[in-house]
Amino acid sequence: MIDVALLGIIRRWHIRDQVPLREIARRLGISRNTVRRYLRSETTEPSYADRRSPSAIDKYAFQLSGLLKTEAAKSRKQRRTLKQLHEELKELGFEGSYDRVAAFARVWRAGQTDRVNSASKRT
């Protein structure tokens, strides 16, 4: 995997400052072949695979979305707190922390406001 910071340094020294490959390799403590490979590479940005590790809340996302939707329809005084929703999920078998529920709720609410904003722009 190519380190972008190192790639930038190597290209700057070689192209702008006209530093020879041998000198770049000596300064950085890497082989000349590595310097040459970095200069020949077309890569300017690293390409990392998207990491998607399973979350404990994934199994309960549908139920939690439904709970959040029903709570959003209620008046502010009648809504249950996220702690209460977390307790309800625990009764259903959820073993995750309150923080996971709160993070899910933040993302869910952001998606709701995005949907409302995009709908209002269309009209």
Side-chain angles (χ1 to χ4, degrees), residues 7 37 43:
L7 179 63
R37 188 177 70 233
T43 307

Side-chain angles (χ1 to χ4, degrees), residues 88-106:
E88 187 172 330
L89 284 177
K90 281 174 65 174
E91 290 171 9
L92 295 172
F94 177 64
E95 296 175 353
S97 67
Y98 165 77
D99 291 338
R100 291 293 89 219
V101 174
F104 182 91
R106 274 192 302 275

Side-chain angles (χ1 to χ4, degrees), residues 3-90:
D3 181 23
V4 177
L6 191 59
L7 179 63
I9 291 170
I10 291 171
R11 286 187 174 164
R12 185 176 337 109
W13 283 348
H14 184 70
I15 296 168
R16 188 183 69 191
D17 300 339
Q18 301 295 315
V19 178
L21 294 181
R22 182 175 285 187
E23 177 64 18
I24 294 171
R26 189 186 64 71
R27 288 181 187 178
L28 296 175
I30 57 178
S31 74
R32 287 191 318 264
N33 288 338
T34 304
V35 172
R36 193 172 287 116
R37 188 177 70 233
Y38 272 44
L39 287 171
R40 286 182 184 156
S41 73
E42 298 292 322
T43 307
T44 55
E45 292 291 321
S47 58
Y48 300 112
D50 290 338
R51 281 189 61 186
R52 176 73 173 120
S53 54
S55 174
I57 204 160
D58 287 345
K59 291 187 230 174
Y60 301 94
F62 185 73
Q63 286 110 336
L64 185 54
S65 292
L67 290 171
L68 289 169
K69 192 172 189 175
T70 57
E71 293 301 316
K74 295 179 181 178
S75 69
R76 188 179 62 84
K77 291 280 189 183
Q78 293 177 340
R79 288 184 196 152
R80 292 182 289 173
T81 64
L82 285 177
K83 286 186 180 182
Q84 292 168 325
L85 295 178
H86 175 249
E87 290 299 321
E88 187 172 330
L89 284 177
K90 281 174 65 174

